[in-house]
Amino acid sequence: MEEKSFEEEHPNKAFGWAARDPSGVLSPFKFSRRSTGEKDVRFKVLFCGICHSDLHMAKNEWGISTYPLVPGHEIVGQVTEVGSKVERFKVGDKVGVGCLVGSCHSCDSCSSNLENYCPEMILTYSAKYNDGTITYGGYSDIMVADEHFVVLIPENLPLDAAAPLLCAGITVYSPLRFFDLDKPGMHVGVVGLGGLGHVAVKFAKAMGVKVTVISTSPSKKQEALDHLGADSFLVSRDQDGMQAAVGTMDGIIDTVSATHPISPLIGLLKTRGKLVLVGAPVKPLELSVFPLIMGGKIVGGSGIGGMKETQEMIDFAARNNITADIEVISMDSVNTAMERLLKGDVRYRFVIDIGNTLKI
């Protein structure tokens, strides 16, 4: 009997790039997507952002990776097929998928449109889906997802620069809204001017908030003020500057994922101010409780956002012309991009041109 080709055995064939082991090196990979179910949206992937978590996951630095691993959770493209019970999307729509592709739909978090905190949340890649298969991300030519976890991308948003908003954008938008740091005239600090921080500045400014960027790098001052529109800039190692800013901020969004002191940041807060951590340092941070008690201050955390809020964020970005600052790369440049990302050599987000450069 003649042996069948991969294409014949896998009618829902897909192509992408995958890591096979903790070296994290990615290479071409053939696999199967599921058939389009009655509530599914199938779309051709055009662009996919590279998030720092893609690097962690490819190298299994968090100990939860399953190989082969196709990264990517900042995925945008154009709909090619919809299931019979899909209500919100049609063929030809521009759409995106972020960090989630599933949840239980019945817990308190899901009932409150907070699928991102569902105990049974299913990640876009390297997780077990409802049918027992492993999820594969957006470094691939095709994506299939339940319509509940798909967002509509407004026509005026360029797809390449909108892609990072599906992770970086919602990660900073959600805490600004939830912790009430979105009121015009408020003063909010943004710690770190990277993939998350630069988008945080843009969202906060669009909300009418006064923004101070806090960074260890004096060289980023001009970029923060002139390009991103921040109102002021603090060098966190400048003790005089930090002292002068004590007690001036209503809240701070801390995007730094490296271990760093947070006591100086707490000092910058007004009474009942809020420090919100959205970066994820591997090692525990040192926290002195006394300044919290004496100032009625809060240290909190926030992780991405629910689907309703993610659509709200994308629509807000479209109305205010907010996009990520990106460097578009080809699919075969992904390993070089990962090496550069490790060194912080990107301004501010890599986006892979899947549609034009993924060679099948």
Side-chain angles (χ1 to χ4, degrees), residues 2 52 63 66 92 100 122 190 193 203 209 217 241 271 273-274 291 312-313 322 346:
E2 188 174 330
H52 212 285
T66 300
L100 310 179
I122 301 172
V190 174
L193 199 61
F203 275 117
V209 171
S217 306
T271 299
K274 303 158 187 175
E312 176 191 300
M313 176 274 304
I322 295 172
V346 57

Side-chain angles (χ1 to χ4, degrees), residues 54-127:
D54 295 346
L55 181 60
H56 291 302
M57 288 292 289
K59 294 176 175 290
N60 195 27
E61 291 177 348
W62 292 335
I64 60 172
S65 301
T66 300
Y67 298 102
L69 182 147
V70 178
H73 59 208
E74 299 177 346
I75 315 163
V76 294
Q78 191 161 23
V79 176
T80 57
E81 184 182 12
V82 296
S84 59
K85 293 187 177 180
V86 169
E87 299 177 353
R88 295 169 47 233
F89 303 96
K90 64 183 185 302
V91 172
D93 281 347
K94 295 176 180 178
V95 295
V97 168
C99 303
L100 310 179
V101 292
S103 68
C104 77
H105 299 288
S106 60
C107 67
D108 287 347
S109 292
C110 286
S111 298
S112 302
N113 297 307
L114 294 170
E115 302 91 343
N116 50 312
Y117 298 126
C118 172
E120 297 178 29
M121 170 186 68
I122 301 172
L123 297 175
T124 301
Y125 65 86
S126 197

Side-chain angles (χ1 to χ4, degrees), residues 12 73 100 170 172 179 182 259 299 344:
N12 294 308
H73 59 208
L100 310 179
I170 187 61
V172 297
F179 289 98
D182 56 351
T259 302
V299 176

Side-chain angles (χ1 to χ4, degrees), residues 188-205:
V188 172
V190 174
V191 185
L193 199 61
L196 295 176
H198 90 285
V199 179
V201 173
K202 293 184 180 187
F203 275 117
K205 287 299 298 178

Side-chain angles (χ1 to χ4, degrees), residues 264-313:
L265 302 176
I266 293 169
L268 299 178
L269 295 172
K270 295 178 181 178
T271 299
R272 294 206 163 169
K274 303 158 187 175
L275 170 62
V276 188
L277 308 173
V278 297
V282 176
K283 295 180 180 178
L285 299 176
E286 187 174 312
L287 176 63
S288 176
V289 176
F290 196 68
L292 302 182
I293 295 173
M294 296 307 294
K297 299 176 182 180
I298 293 172
V299 176
S302 183
I304 52 173
M307 296 314 303
K308 181 180 179 181
E309 189 173 49
T310 301
Q311 185 67 63
E312 176 191 300
M313 176 274 304

Side-chain angles (χ1 to χ4, degrees), residues 180-249:
D180 294 320
L181 299 175
D182 56 351
K183 307 297 185 287
M186 278 188 159
H187 184 190
V188 172
V190 174
V191 185
L193 199 61
L196 295 176
H198 90 285
V199 179
V201 173
K202 293 184 180 187
F203 275 117
K205 287 299 298 178
M207 293 170 182
V209 171
K210 177 185 176 183
V211 178
T212 295
V213 170
I214 304 163
S215 173
T216 58
S217 306
S219 60
K220 292 186 176 181
K221 181 176 181 177
Q222 185 175 356
E223 172 79 6
L225 301 180
D226 298 344
H227 176 64
L228 296 173
D231 298 282
S232 54
F233 186 88
L234 269 179
V235 178
S236 56
R237 295 192 176 106
D238 175 8
Q239 292 187 359
D240 291 340
M242 291 288 284
Q243 183 61 39
V246 164
T248 63
M249 299 181 190

